Amino acid sequence: MLAVLDWYRAAGVDTAVGEEPVDRFAQRPPQRVTPPPAAAPAAERPVEAPMLGGDPSEARSLAASAQSLDQLQAILGAYDGCGLKLRATQLVFADGNPEAEIMLIGEAPGAEEDRQGKPFVGKSGQLLDRMLGAIGLDRTNVYIANTVPWRPPGNRTPTPEEMALCLPFLHRQVELVAPKLVMTLGGPAMQTIFSTTTGIIKMRGKWSSVAIGHHTVDAIPTLHPAYLLRNPAAKQQAWRDMLSLKLKAEELGLN
Ligand code: URA
């Protein structure tokens, strides 16, 4: 029974919706209703099911209205357009230094991030801290965010629709931080930021200039720390990318 509960929780089934269990198998299937011959007058028409998902243009104008990171965080906190919020414990907005010249962008919060409300604080975050430490950086001189700020149920990859609704907020976040360098972590973050369908193995370690919202910045993709935990042999590639980040920061005279 505990294993079943664990499995439900991992799949995102973690909210009770009633006091008593309902045996849906015992319920009779709904009866087919023959539609009426002509459309009923407006007042009698059945209410249509609400459309799932928000409106990307509303997300864009809300994001554009934020004049500071605090405002953006408050707007996102009140935003109900993205379904991910329903299942998440809280908003995971950012961590690190908002004045930093280097910004790291991951994919989505995991279970520990969802609990603490900060990105990269679980196992992969600890590895990320060690990777940063190896090139003399820590969270006082980088700013960290994710492509989506709520944990997807069961840690699944956010859907393109969820990404599209959250992207205007990430763009605004990047505009407001205005970093000099960006590093993306993992395939989905790379594909979102570089607007590409190319795989991470092919693109990692290569610098390019990308427009993120209205901010144009040099960016480099690297492997996700969670991938490195599963594939330790790939750490040497990530190490090369970290060295490349360090070199570029030195060239630009960043601290
Ligand atoms: N993985 C991510 O991509 N982001 C986090 O914040 C944590 C794990």
Side-chain angles (χ1 to χ4, degrees):
M1 184 55 82
L2 280 177
V4 171
L5 286 175
D6 246 13
W7 185 81
Y8 277 151
R9 198 181 46 191
V13 184
D14 52 10
T15 308
V17 292
E19 291 299 318
E20 297 296 328
V22 179
D23 183 358
R24 305 273 177 210
F25 293 105
Q27 290 177 338
R28 280 162 35 135
Q31 304 297 306
R32 246 169 205 279
V33 180
T34 325
E44 292 166 26
R45 247 177 250 150
V47 179
E48 282 178 16
M51 231 178 68
L52 280 180
D55 171 4
S57 65
E58 182 204 28
R60 275 193 294 277
S61 64
L62 280 173
S65 71
Q67 297 307 310
S68 67
L69 287 168
D70 284 347
Q71 273 183 17
L72 184 66
Q73 183 167 358
I75 290 170
L76 255 177
Y79 177 63
D80 287 331
C82 177
L84 287 177
K85 181 181 181 180
L86 292 175
R87 304 269 199 82
T89 307
Q90 57 184 317
L91 176 73
V92 178
F93 184 66
D95 196 24
N97 183 354
E99 312 270 299
E101 292 170 307
I102 299 174
M103 180 163 176
L104 306 181
I105 302 176
E107 179 184 336
E112 196 50 40
E113 290 74 21
D114 182 60
R115 255 189 295 279
Q116 293 193 33
K118 279 188 188 173
F120 284 101
V121 287
K123 282 217 170 69
S124 55
Q126 288 156 19
L127 176 56
L128 178 63
D129 286 340
R130 291 200 294 280
M131 290 161 69
L132 290 170
I135 56 164
L137 297 174
D138 60 28
R139 294 186 188 222
T140 64
N141 39 30
V142 301
Y143 181 81
I144 309 176
N146 281 308
T147 54
V148 300
W150 294 283
R151 180 195 181 205
N155 293 344
R156 64 164 170 73
T157 301
T159 63
E161 291 74 23
E162 290 159 353
M163 294 252 202
L165 286 167
C166 295
L167 199 56
F169 299 103
L170 176 66
H171 282 178
R172 189 71 191 129
Q173 201 168 4
V174 174
E175 287 167 5
L176 290 166
V177 176
K180 301 257 170 39
L181 297 176
V182 163
M183 174 174 257
T184 57
L185 304 164
M190 177 204 77
Q191 292 179 338
T192 304
I193 295 300
F194 291 80
S195 309
T196 180
T197 51
T198 309
I200 178 73
I201 299 298
K202 199 160 174 199
M203 288 235 347
R204 60 141 281 276
K206 296 189 181 119
W207 286 98
S208 32
S209 173
V210 282
I212 307 178
H214 296 295
H215 184 67
T216 300
V217 61
D218 284 339
I220 184 172
T222 194
L223 302 169
H224 196 285
Y227 175 81
L228 299 176
L229 288 171
R230 294 192 303 272
N231 303 277
K235 283 183 184 169
Q236 51 174 286
Q237 291 166 300
W239 173 234
R240 279 204 287 275
D241 304 341
M242 297 311 286
L243 286 178
S244 181
L245 176 64
K246 178 178 159 71
L247 201 70
K248 190 85 156 178
E250 282 169 1
E251 273 167 26
L252 296 181
L254 311 186
N255 53 33

